[in-house]
Amino acid sequence: MEILLTTRDLGRAIGASDSSLRRWTDSGAFRSTRTVGGHRRITLSEAIRFIRETGASVVEPAALGLKDVPAADMPPDQRDAIQEQLHQALSEGDAAKARGQILALYVGGMSVAAIGDGPVSFAMERIGVRWQHDPAGIIVEHRATDICLQAISLLRQMLPTPADDAPLAIGGAFQDDPYIIPSAIAAAVMVESGWREANFGPNTPVELLAAAARERGAALVWLSVSTEVAPARRREIKRLATQISQLQIQFVVGGRLAPSLAIPRASGVHVLQKMVELSALARGAMPGARAKTGH
Ligand code: B12
């Protein structure tokens, strides 16, 4: 269920007058529905879209139900500061602050893909070196991972629900790979790009993915590879690439160690480095994917 707001909630959130709201409503600047009693309601995702597109400042985030978001709009030069603050909040295990910063980046206009490639990956990379000189760094790392997942899940709530007939992407990380954040972001990026998704998460048996894609009518399969790949697993992943390609489904491999697989080039097989690349592919691949699923 999407969160529904009144026009007054939106007005309070961005500090807009009743007359501005009436003007926007009359001109169709945002989509709204009506309750049985005739009252106007706006979905949270539609309100966020409107705020992002108009560059409005969120002066009262609580009116949108976003208690954690700092009340400020964000000029681009502030992003660096937020990136640094995010690293600090994750290091300190301050979940509310970190969630708020990630949400502020999104409400400020950054895409989920860019947030994943930028601030999240940057902060986690820095957190990742701590364990080398401080055993307690491992605890910090685990906590930061959980907080990132909380934030990604919040971002998901803010994305419009994909249409029932939108193409489907499925994926996860391969069997020996425990990394949970990359596929959580990949799934959110697919939704942001208008797709439906089924994320199987870390440690997914690769040999099950082709059948899962076929049975569910997926148009794209992603695989995240962030840990060393043993030779037997390498063979499994290459076999999967061939099977998926034969099914004429897009196969996307990404992650820090994806290039080490040396997957042979084939039609519909992509080795990507970044979430923004996945997003670009998902948007570009859309018409083909729709044609394939018959819509
Ligand atoms: C969190 C973490 C862990 C957690 C994972 C928890 C969990 N369930 O997810 C735990 C504690 C389990 C862990 C364990 C280990 N870890 Co660790 N870990 C990390 C850390 C800090 C963050 C990883 C992360 O989630 N990053 C956030 C994501 C968003 O960023 P990303 O992975 O870079 O992904 C980006 C791209 O690669 C790409 N991408 C990723 N997947 C996909 C998929 C697609 C389709 C696309 C298009 C793009 C894409 O997009 C993302 C955004 O740009 C990294 C540090 C780092 N530099 O990454 C170390 C790190 C990866 N770990 C490291 C090590 C050494 C280990 C251990 C060996 C430690 C140990 N001694 O036990 C084990 C090995 C585990 C294993 N089986 O492989 C090293 C690896 C060094 C190396 N030589 O490769 C790192 C780099 C830390 C360091 N600097 O030493 N780790």
Side-chain angles (χ1 to χ4, degrees):
M1 275 294 282
E2 283 223 56
I3 297 167
L4 293 177
L5 306 169
T6 61
T7 42
R8 176 159 294 177
D9 290 333
L10 178 59
R12 265 177 44 222
I14 59 176
S17 64
D18 286 351
S19 62
S20 301
L21 276 166
R22 259 196 308 278
R23 201 176 58 247
W24 286 324
T25 312
D26 293 345
S27 68
F30 45 76
R31 280 191 306 272
S32 60
T33 52
R34 285 197 189 266
T35 63
V36 186
H39 300 291
R40 226 176 258 282
R41 292 289 180 272
I42 310 157
T43 61
L44 175 60
S45 58
E46 177 63 4
I48 299 281
R49 181 200 63 75
F50 176 75
I51 294 168
R52 281 162 55 93
E53 275 179 19
T54 54
S57 307
V58 179
V59 293
E60 198 185 324
L64 298 173
L66 306 176
K67 294 185 200 72
D68 290 344
V69 181
D73 64 333
M74 199 179 333
D77 58 356
Q78 222 180 299
R79 281 191 186 160
D80 289 349
I82 293 224
Q83 185 151 298
E84 184 50 48
Q85 286 164 19
L86 175 64
H87 170 242
Q88 207 177 328
L90 288 174
S91 303
E92 289 164 0
D94 191 336
K97 206 191 261 178
R99 282 199 308 266
Q101 281 149 354
I102 290 179
L103 285 183
L105 290 166
Y106 181 73
V107 173
M110 222 170 163
S111 67
V112 174
I115 292 170
D117 285 334
V120 169
S121 150
F122 166 85
M124 291 306 286
E125 197 177 322
R126 285 175 68 189
I127 285 169
V129 291
R130 285 172 75 134
W131 68 276
Q132 293 165 352
H133 37 84
D134 173 13
I138 296 174
I139 289 285
V140 174
E141 202 172 288
H142 280 228
R143 177 82 182 121
T145 302
D146 185 64
I147 296 172
C148 286
L149 286 178
Q150 293 178 28
I152 296 161
S153 147
L154 266 185
L155 290 183
R156 280 291 301 274
Q157 285 178 35
M158 247 153 264
L159 298 170
T161 309
D164 289 345
D165 64 352
L168 173 71
I170 68 167
F174 76 100
Q175 201 149 22
D176 300 330
D177 187 327
Y179 290 94
I180 195 166
I181 302 176
S183 281
I185 298 179
V189 166
M190 293 312 293
V191 173
E192 183 177 44
S193 310
W195 290 56
R196 290 177 300 128
E197 61 79 22
N199 173 21
F200 300 125
N203 292 309
T204 298
V206 161
E207 71 276 11
L208 301 181
L209 277 175
R214 201 178 41 238
E215 279 158 22
R216 289 158 192 255
L220 183 147
V221 175
W222 82 80
L223 190 71
S224 182
V225 178
S226 308
T227 197
E228 297 285 344
V229 191
R233 292 276 182 253
R234 193 177 299 255
R235 283 193 292 277
E236 282 175 13
I237 294 174
K238 285 187 177 161
R239 202 174 310 131
L240 176 70
T242 312
Q243 288 170 338
I244 304 250
S245 167
Q246 281 166 355
L247 290 168
Q248 296 191 328
I249 295 171
Q250 310 269 344
F251 183 52
V252 186
V253 190
R256 286 183 322 106
L257 286 153
S260 73
L261 289 168
I263 293 190
R265 279 172 187 273
S267 126
V269 176
H270 315 265
V271 179
L272 305 180
Q273 307 262 317
K274 298 278 172 201
M275 293 297 167
V276 289
E277 294 170 345
L278 178 63
S279 171
L281 177 80
R283 287 164 202 269
M286 201 76 141
R290 280 184 182 278
K292 197 190 155 298
T293 51
H295 297 291

